Amino acid sequence: LAAIMFTDIVGYTRIMGQDEETALTILEQNRAIHHKWITRYRGKLLKEMGDGIIAIFYTVTEAVLCAIDIQKEIKSQNKFGVRMGIHISEIVFTDTDAFGDGVNIASRISNQAQAGEICFSEGVYQNIRNRETLNIEKGEIKELKNVADPIQLYKLTGT
């Protein structure tokens, strides 16, 4: 069982099409920010897929706080935006990769976020709902692509 964080640079394909050098610079900046905060919150970077990053954490709180700090640093640079999805689920590991429905769901949840937003599932909400310092907004119940059941979405506001 792990908290799964999936992140994606918003508009990266468009940026790459316009200016490859800028796109690669943004990719490196994004990677450095993610590595720093994932390490600080005891997370593990599972893999990078183009401009997407998948990381796992021992606790939901660590995943959410990590996501907040990543977003704060990215926003302070004001050069690009990242959307994030967090879900809690079991993961199956092989020697070289991680699989499971939860990884796919975290990816689909991130697609529901806008630049600078952190969206998450009901399971994540249940683990952080009693944290007074987090402003949580209940979103819609969404049918996500290739996910069997609709998912209640939430997002952090004012982070």
Side-chain angles (χ1 to χ4, degrees), residues 4 6 85-89 100-112 119-121 144-151 153:
I4 307 156
F6 188 96
I86 303 173
H87 183 60
I88 186 168
S89 180
D101 197 38
V103 175
N104 297 328
I105 291 171
S107 169
R108 299 297 184 211
I109 290 171
S110 76
N111 290 336
Q112 301 300 309
C119 289
F120 49 92
S121 63
L144 304 177
K145 183 179 175 182
N146 298 325
V147 176
D149 298 316
I151 303 281
L153 295 178

Side-chain angles (χ1 to χ4, degrees), residues 136-150:
I136 301 169
E137 178 181 303
K138 187 174 184 177
E140 298 178 39
I141 296 174
K142 290 278 194 172
E143 291 194 22
L144 304 177
K145 183 179 175 182
N146 298 325
V147 176
D149 298 316

